[in-house]
Amino acid sequence: MDVTRRHVLVGSGVAALAAAESIRQADSRATITMVSAEDVPFYSRPALAYLLTNELPESQLSIRSEREVAALGIERVTGLAEGLDAAAHELALSGGRRISYDRLLIATGAASIQADFPGAALDGAVHVDGLSEARDFVARARRARAAVVVGGGSTALELVEALQACGVATHYLMRGSRYWSKVFDAVESAIIEAQLIEQGVQLHRGCTVREAVGAKGVLTGVNTVDGRHIPCDLLAVAVGIRPRLELARAGGVATERGILTNEYLETSAADVYAAGDVAQIYDPVTRMAQLDTLWASALAQGTTAGLNMSGVRVAHRKRAPMNVTRLGGITVTIVGQVGASEDPDLLTLTRGQSERWMTDTDSWSVSGARTGDRLRVIVSGRVIVGAVVVGDQRVSRPLAHLVGEAVDISQLRPMLDANPNDAMDLLLSFCDAHVSDRTADHY
Amino acid sequence: MDAERVRLLATGLVVADPGRCVQCGICSHNCPCGIDVRAFARVAGAVTDARCVLCGSCVARCPRGTLSFTLLRQWT
């Protein structure tokens, strides 16, 4: 009897790659077939931000050497997986090809949603999901004279940065009164906005696009609800992303906002798993199933899914959600639960975000010593449950540890309350004393 | 090369915080010694390539603050 297990992975992002790596580590004989629409080497999606700003050449994008890829022994199939017969364990590709599997991973990621105003389909209205769109964006930005960016989160500012790098006059339109109010408080938003203004970005607060307009199908500008016309030859849209659920739904796999899985990344269909941006994973601790579009989460989920597909029973342990991003040239770390408020610029979750960030908690904050620095710590009882570190990052690593490990800070709390301006030093000292973190002692 | 520089070369190395790294490769792209810093960061958690002269280009250029210097004796 042939006992070689046939694994089929749909998607080629970091979740699928990590799954392939853990499958191969656990089972040298298994076959691994990877089906993806993009026929490109494995790359890091967050790295596209630096490709857009010309800080990174495309030749540097590949995250695995040819030798490493060859060692995985993956058969790569370029195509669209559009049908799933879960009972028969069969995947159907466009064009009619069918692939049988013993274990299937759906790691189809998430796609940008279109703007909710007329004209969003004009030539010149763009979004960036993958490498091909990033290439197209760069080509357009090099020709453009003026651009409008709508949306929020880190993706919107990645596009703003890319346009600035190409010398394009850039208008950033915010429906709300401030930037990324879903995650930031007013002070944090103001720091980022001040930086953007200093860089020459024209900020339009409380400004909603009524329609994008063009001639012969090509974008020429946008009209706003308050009656303004902004001429532009590029409209960059980053109003949110939505998990690609078509395949799961075609196969009758249970979905909600994403594909529902248990902590073993198993879906409702036997031998079908999900990981990455498309997966809505149940957490037995919080008893909630939440989406997460963080790169590190996708990597961890893919690894766990691959092990479970190989027969190694491992529960996915959700870590404190953390993202480090650069906004207007300022490094920002967001970790744990950081609160929630309305954000009219985002219609859905954006890339590099976690639903677990969004909780109502008491927060405590202090500004850093230098203009442009800001530290906000969210405390619940005896533990720090979240933090936002803007600018000076010395404290971000220790904080991530305190949040992730739920370290009891009851001894530290009175000192923080009494000396909020010394928060950075107090937190660093506390970590030195209480956390065996080898990174705490740097020179 | 002054004595302090020699001491640092002998006792220091560049380490990575895997929780912050997205394997973008800016570190490798900016290494003047041609070291694939990204691969070292992913596989070993530190740049153990003998060609590393601790110039700090990768540390300075990493947009996510992933890399830092540490003392060899503190890295295990």
Side-chain angles (χ1 to χ4, degrees):
Chain A
M1 189 177 77
D2 184 8
V3 291
T4 302
R5 191 171 275 180
R6 298 164 302 171
H7 296 275
V8 175
L9 318 175
V10 183
S12 61
V14 71
L17 172 62
E21 290 178 329
S22 64
I23 289 169
R24 184 56 72 221
Q25 202 164 21
D27 185 349
S28 61
R29 295 187 60 199
T31 66
I32 305 173
T33 303
M34 182 177 284
V35 180
S36 63
E38 276 191 317
D39 182 21
V40 293
F42 297 113
Y43 66 89
S44 161
R45 170 62 184 78
L48 292 185
Y50 314 124
L51 183 76
L52 293 174
T53 53
N54 203 28
E55 291 169 271
L56 196 66
E58 194 174 322
S59 59
Q60 277 284 346
L61 273 186
S62 179
I63 58 175
R64 295 293 182 271
S65 67
E66 286 181 16
R67 193 173 152 190
E68 287 171 317
V69 173
L72 289 175
I74 301 171
E75 181 201 355
R76 290 199 63 170
V77 175
T78 304
L80 180 66
E82 60 179 16
L84 170 61
D85 185 337
H89 283 51
E90 209 170 60
L91 186 73
L93 307 191
S94 58
R97 181 174 171 184
R98 303 181 83 82
I99 302 175
S100 296
Y101 64 84
D102 295 309
R103 300 287 185 275
L104 175 73
L105 175 72
I106 303 177
T108 42
S112 295
I113 60 173
Q114 275 215 341
D116 56 350
F117 48 77
L122 284 166
D123 182 15
V126 297
H127 59 261
V128 176
D129 278 331
L131 178 58
S132 58
E133 285 139 340
R135 288 175 182 147
D136 176 64
F137 187 89
V138 170
R140 288 176 183 272
R142 285 180 180 152
R143 295 193 302 266
R145 284 164 299 174
V148 165
V149 178
V150 296
S154 55
T155 306
L157 289 202
E158 284 171 5
L159 300 176
V160 168
E161 270 197 55
L163 292 163
Q164 292 288 99
C166 289
V168 183
T170 307
H171 301 261
Y172 178 32
L173 275 55
M174 293 185 288
R175 289 180 177 179
S177 58
R178 61 184 181 85
Y179 171 66
W180 210 1
S181 53
K182 194 103 180 163
V183 171
F184 289 153
D185 69 9
V187 175
E188 292 151 2
S189 296
I191 290 172
I192 305 300
E193 289 171 23
Q195 193 72 10
L196 293 174
I197 291 167
E198 193 177 305
Q199 291 166 1
V201 178
Q202 298 187 55
L203 284 190
H204 304 256
R205 297 182 184 86
C207 186
T208 301
V209 174
R210 191 181 74 222
E211 60 181 350
V213 293
K216 296 179 181 174
V218 178
L219 176 81
T220 56
V222 299
N223 294 330
T224 65
V225 168
D226 57 7
R228 279 179 287 168
H229 173 75
I230 304 174
C232 64
D233 33 25
L234 190 53
L235 169 61
V237 178
V239 294
I241 57 173
R242 189 167 286 142
R244 293 187 177 99
L245 299 174
E246 296 83 356
L247 178 63
R249 286 182 173 155
V253 179
T255 62
E256 207 177 69
R257 299 186 302 286
I259 300 174
L260 292 168
T261 80
N262 61 15
E263 64 266 44
Y264 300 98
L265 288 312
E266 296 165 324
T267 69
S268 63
D271 301 323
V272 178
Y273 297 73
D277 291 357
V278 78
Q280 189 180 341
I281 301 167
Y282 179 75
D283 182 349
V285 177
T286 61
R287 297 182 181 178
M288 293 169 73
Q290 291 177 303
L291 290 170
D292 198 324
T293 60
L294 299 167
W295 193 84
S297 300
L299 177 70
Q301 292 162 18
T303 300
T304 305
L307 289 172
N308 283 296
M309 292 166 74
S310 303
V312 183
R313 192 85 171 151
V314 182
H316 174 60
R317 180 179 170 241
K318 286 192 177 182
R319 297 176 188 153
M322 181 171 89
N323 195 8
V324 187
T325 186
R326 191 179 62 192
L327 303 171
I330 300 175
T331 303
V332 178
T333 298
I334 305 160
V335 60
Q337 301 166 10
V338 293
S341 57
E342 289 303 307
D343 189 342
D345 288 309
L346 289 170
L347 306 180
T348 61
L349 205 64
T350 182
R351 283 191 200 285
Q353 188 178 327
S354 170
E355 287 185 343
R356 287 180 288 153
W357 285 350
M358 308 305 154
T359 48
D360 292 318
T361 49
D362 293 330
S363 74
W364 167 96
S365 64
V366 62
S367 293
R370 288 185 299 133
T371 305
D373 294 336
R374 164 86 167 173
L375 167 63
R376 177 160 56 99
V377 176
I378 296 90
V379 178
S380 178
R382 296 180 170 191
V383 297
I384 297 174
V385 295
V388 177
V389 185
V390 179
D392 188 339
Q393 295 291 306
R394 281 177 301 156
V395 81
S396 64
R397 269 178 249 213
L399 265 175
H401 185 95
L402 296 181
V403 173
E405 300 301 318
V407 174
D408 186 336
I409 61 147
S410 48
Q411 287 183 323
L412 176 67
R413 184 72 194 268
M415 290 185 278
L416 286 174
D417 289 338
N419 307 288
N421 290 327
D422 297 332
M424 290 226 187
D425 290 337
L426 287 168
L427 283 162
L428 286 168
S429 300
F430 180 80
C431 283
D432 275 349
H434 291 83
V435 181
S436 57
D437 183 350
R438 66 173 183 268
T439 63
D441 189 356
H442 295 175
Y443 63 85
Chain B
M1 193 179 288
D2 60 21
E4 179 66 5
R5 183 85 181 142
V6 171
R7 188 186 71 78
L8 290 177
L9 277 170
T11 59
L13 81 169
V14 172
V15 293
D17 178 351
R20 300 173 80 88
C21 183
V22 291
Q23 297 176 25
C24 70
I26 282 186
C27 50
S28 302
H29 180 54
N30 286 288
C31 177
C33 303
I35 299 168
D36 188 356
V37 178
R38 166 173 51 190
F40 275 97
R42 174 172 61 88
V43 176
V47 181
T48 53
D49 192 307
R51 292 174 294 168
C52 179
V53 294
L54 298 178
C55 70
S57 288
C58 58
V59 175
R61 297 292 186 110
C62 174
R64 296 180 181 237
T66 299
L67 301 166
S68 60
F69 297 111
T70 196
L71 296 171
L72 193 55
R73 64 181 160 78
Q74 289 168 348
W75 180 73
T76 53

